[in-house]
Amino acid sequence: MSQVFYLPTRVFSGAECLRVHAEAFKTLGKRAMIVTGRASARTTGAGPDVEAALKSQGIGFVLYDRVPPNPGFTEVREAATLARAQGVDFIVGIGGGSPLDAAKAIAVLVTNDLGDDALLTPPYPKLPLPIAAVPTTAGTGSEVTPYSILTNDKVQSKSNLSHESLFPKVAFLDARYTASLPRTVTVNTALDCLSHLVEGYLAIRATPLSQALTLQGLAMLGPALKGLASDAGLPNPAIREVLLLASTTAGMVIAHTGTTAVHALGYPLTYFKDIDHGRANALTITAYLAYLRPSHPGAVDRVLAALGISGVAEFRSLVDTLLGPRESLTEAEIAQFSASAAKARNMANTLVTPSEADLARLYRESFPALS
Ligand code: NAP
Ligand code: ZN
């Protein structure tokens, strides 16, 4: 079997890894733009730690701290204009998937003058600026993926930039930065990690190497998810560390396999219903597993076994506990979202490509009907 495994991100992990490995910034450039959301980079301590690490290496920086959840073209263009004006030569993203993805698009736009469509269709004329990533959520794995997902009003969904030049050069995993995550974001991001592992294992593009990583990720995540479901409180520092490592492992998986129907079904839920990315995926993941199992029982059962789960029914119960009450969809929404999901690029990466009618059925099975 012909396969490629390429992961050019240097990953440092452990408490204080930013301070211990501050010299890694020197290989990236001389003047950084730090890209963050409104508050969490500062309140988690990750922002001050990055600033201290840059200063310790004599590297100057400028801050862009206006990335919203689910960023779009406007913010990344605003930041890229500032970065150009300030002579920035590398980008440091700090935060959840939103600032990390924004950092990647900004890195492209600083070196390339592109319209929205050209930004979404790499390769680019010039290499993007180098990127460093400091995750403060445990779920997207963006710190080790070549993807940047932007809200795209033109297609009323999310669009994915994907190119190997977008892999961060370096990632710093310090689980202390995830300690302040509220319960809802902790659960939703852990569910995003779950969907990356499940979809990655069951993707057309899965390889033996990606599946080896997936099984390890599922073995880490399964007990942590069960712990989250059985205790309504917040995870302890050891569990936070496991969740972050599982998330980065899952990022390494989807960097190779891509995502599938579950993410495609989730994008309209986020765009039209403002449902968090990880939750949006988890809402349809059980129906998706049940849909795939008749044709691929061995693969689905290997995923469940690696999580430490006996069957689809136990999986459903775990996910339902973590999700709590579900949102509702009207029949009109189901028709609109199925048509949108059917057009997503990742749909073709699903082991059995669902028809638009199958997608409508998956939504119907996942949501209580709205009368
Ligand atoms: P997020 O949108 O980055 O952040 C959600 C919220 O959590 C924000 O309000 C943020 O506040 C807050 N937050 C972040 N870290 C925190 C902390 N440690 N303590 C307290 N609050 C914190 O959420 P996310 O789920 O990590 O990222 C979702 C995005 O990633 C979506 O756009 C999705 O499409 C994308 N994604 C990308 C990939 C990829 O491979 N590139 C994969 C999956 C998903 P602030 O605004 O103040 O920071
Ligand atoms: Zn995701």
Side-chain angles (χ1 to χ4, degrees), residues 67-105:
V67 179
N70 304 301
F73 297 104
T74 312
E75 302 83 28
V76 297
R77 289 197 179 286
E78 180 181 72
T81 303
L82 174 66
R84 279 191 198 190
Q86 292 280 332
V88 159
D89 60 4
F90 72 101
I91 310 286
V92 186
I94 308 173
S98 297
L100 300 191
D101 283 7
K104 296 173 185 176

Side-chain angles (χ1 to χ4, degrees), residues 192 196 263 277 281:
D192 191 22
H196 295 163
H263 269 64
H277 173 74
N281 297 331

Side-chain angles (χ1 to χ4, degrees), residues 211-235:
Q211 288 188 322
L213 267 178
T214 314
L215 294 176
Q216 173 62 20
L218 289 165
M220 287 192 279
L221 185 65
L225 278 184
K226 287 184 189 175
L228 273 179
S230 65
D231 177 352
L234 289 167

Side-chain angles (χ1 to χ4, degrees), residues 146-160:
Y147 311 130
S148 167
I149 299 169
L150 296 181
T151 298
N152 185 354
D153 293 326
K154 194 167 154 191
V155 296
Q156 295 194 311
S157 189
K158 302 194 88 177
S159 294
N160 187 358

Side-chain angles (χ1 to χ4, degrees), residues 39-40 44 70 96-98 101 136-137 142 145 147 158 177 180-181 277:
S40 69
T44 57
N70 304 301
S98 297
D101 283 7
T136 64
T137 64
S142 179
T145 71
Y147 311 130
K158 302 194 88 177
Y177 303 142
S180 56
L181 281 170
H277 173 74

Side-chain angles (χ1 to χ4, degrees), residues 3-38:
Q3 51 175 298
V4 177
F5 192 89
Y6 179 62
L7 197 84
T9 308
R10 190 183 303 274
V11 180
F12 296 113
S13 60
E16 304 217 29
C17 59
L18 268 166
R19 187 180 58 74
V20 174
H21 299 286
E23 82 291 342
F25 285 117
K26 265 209 157 138
T27 62
L28 304 185
K30 293 187 165 51
R31 185 161 170 76
M33 169 173 267
I34 300 176
V35 174
T36 74
R38 297 251 172 212

